């Protein structure tokens, strides 16, 4: 499989970005209230563009009762139109993944929005049930921008922040389904009450606004957007590559299971967005403005609930592993199902609103929890596999007014390469851990070989891959091996002693050196004393020998003299006495 890729490169070093980036220039931090280019600007353009698509797609439901009366629609027509809307979104999402690969997320997203904006505008021209169903089918295509949004975030944000960026982008964009429930009835009422325009004309004029809004956001994406941190790109895929990706996706049973699970959270959410305003309008006989306001609260919860679901998934994953992610998804989605059942059983409007609010929080959080599991469905294939997952893994079955299939949008672009990869050499330990494609220019590869995964894991846990990459790029190549070894030693010491780290180990060694130095000094002192005592003993012994030798000689002379004199005296005395 061959791949040709062309980039419109912009010469940017990590220091040229206003936020921290890794060695691929992907952002390693997330600032949702910043407009810094290109990362955060791409984030805001992505969610705003998808926001406009949700706004347009769900602009019809809050005015459905007015449209139904004007076009004489039956409940069967309304139900069929709802199903057609989601069937259209599924078909478009199947094509959006490859389109992002070929044209880039910026062009693919903007093109789709510009193509579907006239369809939104044509809603004001429908006059029959068939045209109503057809328009809803075509408008549903715009929801494929969900794929482009997630693809774009994966291209701009590193693995440590892409989940958070995807969660916020999807959550804020889905708020559009709630805002339109509030705004469209107000626009309709404005024309009917303030300008005295007939009802059958007012609702048609109202659809001019979502069409203009969607086209305007598409133009903003084209003018100010950027596919990658370093510029825009194109990628060409061979037929063999596409067939291989499709085959690998279809045979992965985990993808089908997760797609069905996602359909039962996000699919239910979309179905509720379609019917909730009409539900309150018909059951509790509130006016169209009140029904729209109640329905808006359901969609507005996405601003918080979906990002929180992603955060909870990450926290549970860190503490309990994959089992924690799965159990948290099961618990939240079960509560959402119970709330959905309870919503149909309460009989007062206040209780219904409260139950609906709880239902919205849990069902939308389940969508965020699902995205915490998606990157772990398969690690056997490279980034093309994940592009396929964005395109083809969707809930296959659509249950009328209950569940709508939703394509799974994966939020991690770079995945680890396996032995079945196109590359003959295995990925380095760093790229394998970060689930990235290990390129020939990888700065980690020479120093973190695949057979030493613990070395990089330890360094990444303490210093972070982006910081290590910056350090290695700032020093000379011949110094990098020593730098990596020192980082590995410091990281290992820090994990063993979180308080003092390698300083503690150095202090211990210093104390040992001081103790050994004292022992050595004491030993040297003992040796000196022993040497001095030995010298003194030798000197005394030699002196004693000399004294002894000298005394022995004198005593011998005296003794000899004494004996001679004695003999003489004795002899004399004896002679005299004898005499």
């Amino acid at each position: 499989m061959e791949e040709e890729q062309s980039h419109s490169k912009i010469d940017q070093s990590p220091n040229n970005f206003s936020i921290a980036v890794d060695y691929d220039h992907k952002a390693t931090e997330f600032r949702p209230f910043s407009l810094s280019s290109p990362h955060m600007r791409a984030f805001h353009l992505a969610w705003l563009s998808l926001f406009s698509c949700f706004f347009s797609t769900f602009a019809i439901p809050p005015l459905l009762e007015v449209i139904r009366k004007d076009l004489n629609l039956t409940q069967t027509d309304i139900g069929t139109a709802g199903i057609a809307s989601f069937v259209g979104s599924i078909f478009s999402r199947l094509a959006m993944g490859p389109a992002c690969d070929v044209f880039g997320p910026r062009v693919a997203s903007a093109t789709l929005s510009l193509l579907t904006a006239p369809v939104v505008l044509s809603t004001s021209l429908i006059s029959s049930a068939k045209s109503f169903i057809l328009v809803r089918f075509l408008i549903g295509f715009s929801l494929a921008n969900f794929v482009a949004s997630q693809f774009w975030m994966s291209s701009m944000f590193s693995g440590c922040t892409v989940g958070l960026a995807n969660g916020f982008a999807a959550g804020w964009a889905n708020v559009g389904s709630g805002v339109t429930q509030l705004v469209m009835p107000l626009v309709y009422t404005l024309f009917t009450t303030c300008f005295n325009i007939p009802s059958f004309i007012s609702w048609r004029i109202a659809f001019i606004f979502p069409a203009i809004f969607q086209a305007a956001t598409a133009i903003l994406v084209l003018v100010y957007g950027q596919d990658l941190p370093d510029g825009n790109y194109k990628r060409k895929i061979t037929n063999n590559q596409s067939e291989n990706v499709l085959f690998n996706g279809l045979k992965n049973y985990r993808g089908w299971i997760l797609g069905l699970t996602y359909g039962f959270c996000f699919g239910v959410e979309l179905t509720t967005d379609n019917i909730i305003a009409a539900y309150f309008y018909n059951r509790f006989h509130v006016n169209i403005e009140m029904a729209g306001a109640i329905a808006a609260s359901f969609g507005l919860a996405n601003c918080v609930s979906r990002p929180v679901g992603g955060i909870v998934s990450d926290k549970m994953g860190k503490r309990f592993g994959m089992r924690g992610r799965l159990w948290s998804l099961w618990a939240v989605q079960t509560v959402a199902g119970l709330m959905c059942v309870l919503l149909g059983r309460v009989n007062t409007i206040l209780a219904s609103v409260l139950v609906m609010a709880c239902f919205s929080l849990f069902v939308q959080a389940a969508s965020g929890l699902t995205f915490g599991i998606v990157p772990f469905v398969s690690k056997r294939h490279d980034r093309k596999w994940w592009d396929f997952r964005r395109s083809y893994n969707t809930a296959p079955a659509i249950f009328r007014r209950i569940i709508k299939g939703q394509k799974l949008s994966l939020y991690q672009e770079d995945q680890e390469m396996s032995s079945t990869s196109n590359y003959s050499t295995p990925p380095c330990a760093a790229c394998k851990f970060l689930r990235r494609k290990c390129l020939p220019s990888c700065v980690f590869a020479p120093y973190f070989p695949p057979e030493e995964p613990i070395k990089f894991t330890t360094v990444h846990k303490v210093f972070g891959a982006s910081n290590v990459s910056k350090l290695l790029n700032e020093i000379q190549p011949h110094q990098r091996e020593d730098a990596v070894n020192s980082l590995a030693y410091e990281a290992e010491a820090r994990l063993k002693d979180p308080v003092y780290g390698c300083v503690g180990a150095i202090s211990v060694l210093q104390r040992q050196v001081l103790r050994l130095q004292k022992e050595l000094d004491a030993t040297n002192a003992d040796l000196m004393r022993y040497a001095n005592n030995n010298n003194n003993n030798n000197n005394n012994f030699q002196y004693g020998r000399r004294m002894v030798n000298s005394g022995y000689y004198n005593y011998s002379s005296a003794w000899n003299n004494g004996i001679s004199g004695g003999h003489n005296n004795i002899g004399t005395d004896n002679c005299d006495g004898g005499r």
Side-chain angles (χ1 to χ4, degrees):
M1 296 185 292
E2 298 178 354
E3 179 180 36
E4 298 178 1
Q5 183 174 348
S6 62
H7 294 263
S8 299
K9 286 291 186 182
I10 298 175
D11 187 13
Q12 293 188 13
S13 64
N15 295 330
N16 292 336
F17 298 104
S18 59
I19 60 177
V21 297
D22 61 10
Y23 63 92
D24 286 330
H25 294 174
K26 293 184 179 182
T28 58
E29 58 180 341
F30 180 69
R31 301 176 183 174
F33 302 106
S34 171
L35 290 174
S36 60
S37 178
H39 304 89
M40 298 314 303
R41 182 181 296 177
F43 163 76
H44 289 293
L45 288 174
W47 79 258
L48 185 61
S49 176
L50 184 57
F51 178 96
S52 67
C53 293
F54 273 101
F55 190 95
S56 300
T57 301
F58 294 100
I60 292 178
L63 300 179
L64 191 57
E65 290 302 314
V66 178
I67 298 174
R68 181 180 64 83
K69 293 178 181 178
D70 189 30
L71 300 180
N72 296 320
L73 300 177
T74 64
Q75 289 298 326
T76 301
D77 296 331
I78 295 174
T80 303
I83 293 176
S85 174
F86 295 109
V87 170
S89 70
I90 289 176
F91 286 149
S92 60
R93 292 174 190 221
L94 293 175
M96 180 55 77
C100 289
D101 271 324
V102 175
F103 304 107
R106 179 182 64 93
V107 174
S109 172
T111 301
L112 181 62
S113 294
L114 290 175
L115 290 176
T116 53
V119 179
V120 178
L121 184 61
S122 67
T123 306
S124 59
L125 303 177
I126 58 177
S127 58
S128 64
K130 291 183 179 180
S131 60
F132 176 72
I133 295 172
L134 178 61
V135 165
R136 294 224 62 188
F137 173 76
L138 296 176
I139 290 178
F141 278 66
S142 65
L143 290 183
N145 268 340
F146 192 90
V147 179
S149 172
Q150 304 290 285
F151 189 107
W152 204 355
M153 295 301 94
S154 299
S155 302
M156 284 291 183
F157 292 89
S158 181
C160 59
T161 55
V162 67
L164 190 61
N166 274 331
F168 272 90
W172 289 5
N174 283 1
V175 172
S177 62
V179 173
T180 191
Q181 302 271 6
L182 179 65
V183 171
M184 291 302 289
L186 293 179
V187 173
Y188 165 77
T189 304
L190 177 67
F191 287 116
T192 56
T193 58
C194 296
F195 297 101
N196 295 322
I197 299 177
S199 175
F200 71 94
I201 297 178
S202 296
W203 71 263
R204 297 175 185 273
I205 298 176
F207 282 95
I208 297 175
F209 294 95
I212 295 175
F213 181 37
Q214 183 170 316
T217 56
I219 295 173
L220 289 175
V221 169
L222 284 176
V223 174
Y224 297 105
Q226 185 173 307
D227 289 311
L228 298 170
D230 296 324
N232 300 318
Y233 79 103
K234 284 186 178 181
R235 176 170 296 164
K236 298 178 181 179
I237 310 174
T238 63
N239 293 332
N240 292 336
Q241 222 172 357
S242 300
E243 293 174 0
N244 185 54
V245 168
L246 176 60
F247 175 73
N248 288 327
L250 292 176
K251 72 179 183 180
N252 191 314
Y253 69 92
R254 298 180 185 89
W256 291 104
I257 294 174
L258 195 60
L260 186 61
T261 303
Y262 192 51
F264 277 100
C265 54
F266 190 61
V268 171
E269 178 188 347
L270 295 181
T271 302
T272 305
D273 283 325
N274 260 323
I275 66 172
I276 193 66
Y279 172 78
F280 279 94
Y281 181 85
N282 292 321
R283 180 162 186 178
F284 299 105
H285 306 290
V286 297
N287 57 39
I288 193 170
E289 294 84 3
M290 180 61 67
I294 295 173
S297 63
F298 181 86
L300 291 174
N302 274 290
C303 188
V304 177
S305 56
R306 185 182 282 255
V308 169
I311 294 173
V312 170
S313 179
D314 290 340
K315 295 293 185 182
M316 295 294 289
K318 289 180 180 179
R319 185 169 183 179
F320 302 105
M322 179 54 63
R323 190 177 298 274
R325 295 178 185 269
L326 293 173
W327 277 105
S328 57
L329 173 60
W330 176 84
V332 171
Q333 194 158 343
T334 300
V335 174
L338 295 175
M339 289 294 174
C340 184
V341 174
L342 183 61
L343 179 61
R345 293 182 174 273
V346 292
N347 296 319
T348 62
I349 186 171
L350 179 60
S352 295
V353 171
L354 292 176
V355 172
M356 184 201 68
C358 295
F359 169 53
S360 66
L361 291 174
F362 280 96
V363 74
Q364 293 156 9
S367 298
L369 285 161
T370 303
F371 282 108
I373 300 173
V374 167
F376 305 96
V377 172
S378 175
K379 297 183 180 180
R380 294 176 57 88
H381 306 286
D382 61 1
R383 199 178 66 79
K384 286 297 180 183
W385 157 252
W386 293 104
D387 292 340
F388 162 78
R389 299 280 302 151
R390 294 187 184 98
S391 306
Y392 293 98
N393 272 336
T394 181
I398 301 176
F399 299 99
R400 176 188 176 91
R401 314 307 299 169
I402 299 176
I403 177 90
K404 310 298 176 186
Q406 172 69 17
K407 199 223 58 89
L408 286 177
S409 178
L410 303 185
Y411 60 72
Q412 287 197 343
E413 179 188 16
D414 299 314
Q415 299 297 328
E416 75 174 77
M417 302 293 296
S418 67
S419 58
T420 59
S421 154
N422 296 332
Y423 298 92
S424 58
T425 59
C428 67
C431 294
K432 187 174 182 180
F433 179 84
L434 297 173
R435 293 189 287 273
R436 297 181 181 278
K437 180 185 293 184
C438 192
L439 301 176
S441 60
C442 177
V443 71
F444 293 129
Y447 316 108
F448 297 101
E451 61 270 12
E452 297 181 8
I454 299 178
K455 182 179 180 181
F456 176 78
T457 303
T458 305
V459 173
H460 174 67
K461 187 177 295 184
V462 176
F463 297 103
S466 60
N467 294 325
V468 176
S469 174
K470 290 179 184 177
L471 175 64
L472 295 179
N473 288 322
E474 291 173 356
I475 62 178
Q476 297 297 324
H478 68 276
Q479 298 175 325
R480 291 176 179 176
E481 184 175 1
D482 293 336
V484 169
N485 291 334
S486 65
L487 289 175
Y489 174 79
E490 293 177 22
E492 184 177 357
R494 178 63 62 181
L495 293 179
K496 291 181 179 178
D497 187 354
V499 178
Y500 297 105
C502 62
V503 175
I506 294 173
S507 299
V508 171
L509 294 175
Q510 288 178 338
R511 288 194 295 269
Q512 291 179 356
V513 170
L514 293 175
R515 185 176 68 254
L516 293 174
Q517 186 66 46
K518 291 180 180 179
E519 293 178 359
L520 181 61
D521 293 341
T523 303
N524 289 332
D526 291 341
L527 290 174
M528 291 296 295
R529 285 193 299 271
Y530 176 77
N532 291 333
N533 291 336
N534 191 26
N535 290 333
N536 291 334
N537 291 335
N538 289 333
N539 292 334
N540 292 335
F541 178 75
Q542 293 296 331
Y543 177 77
R545 287 292 301 272
R546 287 195 299 270
M547 292 299 295
V548 169
N549 291 334
S550 175
Y552 177 76
Y553 175 77
N554 293 332
Y555 292 151
S556 298
S557 300
W559 173 259
N560 291 332
N561 293 331
I563 292 176
S564 301
H567 283 290
N568 293 331
N569 292 332
I570 293 173
T572 303
D573 292 341
N574 291 336
C575 290
D576 291 341
R579 289 178 184 159

